[in-house]
């Protein structure tokens, strides 16, 4: 069963949210080409006597809002020369044609930021963007998304002029020209994403978009108690200050320790340099996660194609 075929959440009270709720968004006009979109109807809810309040809860006069995108100005998303929306959604792995039709009728589908509720919409999959329940759907069948467990000693480049083992030795026989998302130095192993989606690759590796990368490092120990605090507050490197998003000790062994480092920085050798700056040189380093994608049990030197849900999660993490 598709992840989208579940029943929609109960609608909120009129005026309490920006998307999908009855009365909160301007629907498609009847009898013409399908169009959707509009601004949510504002209005306060709650008030005194509306229910008990607890520590940390939202005030009754300030209902919680989902982190949805702001409604775009109403536009006509219909392309008479395009392909039916439900057909493209089904091809994109959302579900059967009937499931996709139900999702459209329930107001859970957006095209270029516009909620679409009628089944006659045709769109151009090369230029238009579709979201279902806020998650982007990949409509381009030519796009490739791979997870690769890079072995130690492999150079992160598609071709190495010095003749060293590179990514070309593992994925060079593919028809599509692939980009590697960020880099891992030759002595670092672990998760590397490969794709021909240039926009996504750029956002995943650019620190401005805040996509987290998780590393597990074996370092010289023991680890002092203040190391995590120092790394979170930031350390000064030769190319400027840098800080981790989180740090924890995974395991202790005589003379060394295993730690987990999470950060969104992408500077060269940044994890190794940070840990050395606080007195703990790295002995081994593995990247285990990039955003929502995990290395898990993928064997060294192997690749696997990301599924539709993982691709959608990457789009969401990159703000696409």
């Amino acid at each position: 069963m598709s992840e989208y075929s579940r029943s929609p959440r109960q609608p909120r009270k009129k005026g309490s949210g920006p998307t999908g709720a009855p009365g909160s968004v301007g629907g498609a006009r009847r009898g013409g080409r399908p169009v959707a979109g509009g601004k949510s109807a504002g209005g306060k809810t709650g008030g005194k006597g509306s229910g008990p309040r607890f520590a940390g809860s939202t005030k009754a006069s300030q209902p919680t809002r989902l982190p949805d995108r702001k409604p775009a100005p109403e536009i006509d998303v219909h392309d008479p020369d395009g392909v039916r929306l439900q057909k493209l959604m089904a091809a994109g792995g959302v579900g059967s044609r009937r499931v996709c039709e139900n999702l459209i009728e329930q107001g859970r589908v957006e095209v270029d930021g516009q909620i679409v509720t009628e089944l006659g919409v045709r769109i151009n999959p090369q230029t238009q963007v579709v979201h279902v329940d806020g998650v982007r759907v990949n409509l381009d069948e030519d796009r490739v998304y791979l997870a690769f467990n890079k072995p130690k000693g492999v150079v992160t480049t598609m071709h190495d002029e010095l003749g060293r083992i590179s990514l070309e030795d593992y994925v060079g026989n593919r028809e599509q020209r692939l980009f590697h998302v960020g880099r891992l130095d030759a002595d670092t192993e672990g998760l590397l994403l490969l794709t021909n989606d240039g926009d996504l690759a750029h956002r995943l590796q650019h620190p401005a978009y805040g996509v987290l990368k998780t590393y597990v490092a074996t370092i010289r120990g023991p680890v002092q108690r203040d190391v995590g605090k120092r790394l979170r507050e930031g350390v000064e490197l030769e190319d400027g200050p840098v800080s981790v998003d989180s740090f924890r000790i995974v395991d202790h062994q005589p003379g060394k320790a295993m730690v987990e480092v999470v950060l969104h920085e992408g500077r060269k050798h940044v994890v190794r340099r940070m840990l050395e700056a606080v007195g703990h040189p790295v002995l081994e380093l593995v990247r285990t996660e990039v955003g929502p994608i995990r290395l898990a049990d993928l064997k060294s030197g192997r690749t696997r194609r990301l599924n539709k849900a993982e691709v959608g999660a990457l789009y969401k993490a990159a703000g696409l």
Side-chain angles (χ1 to χ4, degrees):
M1 178 180 292
S2 166
E3 62 179 305
Y4 298 105
S5 61
R6 65 186 185 278
S7 298
R9 293 174 295 180
Q10 292 296 319
R12 303 186 211 170
K13 294 181 180 179
K14 184 176 180 181
S16 64
T19 63
S24 65
V25 212
R29 63 177 183 267
R30 303 288 182 183
R33 291 187 299 179
V35 182
K39 296 183 179 179
S40 59
K44 295 182 180 180
T45 61
K48 293 183 179 180
S50 60
R53 291 175 54 190
F54 304 93
S57 66
T58 305
K59 294 180 180 179
S61 60
Q62 298 177 350
T64 302
R65 296 173 61 92
L66 292 175
D68 296 325
R69 295 179 299 278
K70 294 181 179 180
E74 185 172 334
I75 59 173
D76 187 349
V77 298
H78 180 75
D79 183 346
D81 297 322
V83 182
R84 285 190 180 276
L85 177 58
Q86 58 266 41
K87 180 179 179 180
L88 288 171
M89 290 170 57
V94 174
S96 68
R97 188 80 64 90
R98 184 55 190 157
V99 166
C100 295
E101 290 174 350
N102 288 338
L103 291 169
I104 293 171
E105 292 177 329
Q106 292 164 4
R108 296 164 63 184
V109 180
E110 295 181 17
V111 178
D112 294 342
Q114 307 293 315
I115 296 176
V116 174
T117 57
E118 295 188 14
L119 301 180
V121 172
R122 292 176 178 269
I123 68 169
N124 185 339
Q126 302 298 322
T127 60
Q128 293 181 276
V129 176
V130 174
H131 288 81
V132 178
D133 292 336
V135 178
R136 181 167 169 173
V137 179
N138 176 34
L139 303 178
D140 190 346
E141 297 181 354
D142 293 329
R143 288 184 175 176
V144 177
Y145 305 89
L146 301 175
F148 174 55
N149 187 349
K150 187 189 87 65
K152 189 174 182 179
V154 175
V155 180
T156 306
T157 180
M158 286 300 176
H159 177 71
D160 184 61
E161 296 179 353
L162 301 178
R164 295 171 294 181
I165 299 176
S166 68
L167 301 179
E168 183 181 34
D169 295 280
Y170 293 89
V171 295
N173 59 344
R174 292 181 173 270
E175 294 182 3
Q176 302 91 345
R177 180 173 179 267
L178 300 178
F179 306 96
H180 47 84
V181 180
R183 290 179 177 271
L184 294 176
D185 61 69
D187 292 329
T188 300
E189 53 190 308
L191 182 59
L192 190 66
L193 299 183
L194 303 169
T195 182
N196 56 355
D197 187 336
D199 191 18
L200 178 63
H202 168 71
R203 284 175 174 250
L204 289 175
Q205 61 188 317
H206 199 292
Y209 295 97
V211 179
L212 300 177
K213 288 85 175 177
T214 302
Y215 298 81
V216 173
T218 302
I219 61 177
R220 297 193 185 279
V223 181
Q224 302 299 320
R225 290 185 177 182
D226 66 338
V227 167
K229 180 180 178 181
R230 291 171 62 190
L231 290 172
R232 284 188 290 269
E233 291 178 346
V235 295
E236 189 70 35
L237 303 179
E238 62 270 21
D239 52 355
V242 62
S243 61
V244 303
D245 291 86
S246 73
F247 173 88
R248 70 183 181 94
I249 299 173
V250 177
D251 190 23
H252 277 293
Q253 297 179 14
K256 59 183 180 180
M258 184 178 292
V259 299
E260 180 187 82
V261 179
V262 181
L263 73 168
H264 61 273
E265 280 278 1
R267 283 184 254 174
K268 187 175 181 179
H269 305 312
V270 65
V271 176
R272 293 178 181 275
R273 291 189 292 145
M274 288 181 70
L275 290 172
E276 187 171 3
V278 294
H280 296 283
V282 172
L283 304 176
E284 295 180 3
L285 186 61
V286 180
R287 182 158 67 190
T288 59
E289 298 178 33
V290 175
I293 309 303
R294 296 182 177 182
L295 182 64
D297 57 356
L298 183 63
K299 294 182 178 180
S300 180
R302 298 291 184 89
T303 62
R304 71 171 180 86
R305 187 179 290 269
L306 301 185
N307 60 42
K308 302 294 183 180
E310 289 176 317
V311 174
L314 278 176
Y315 278 132
K316 188 172 184 179
L320 290 171

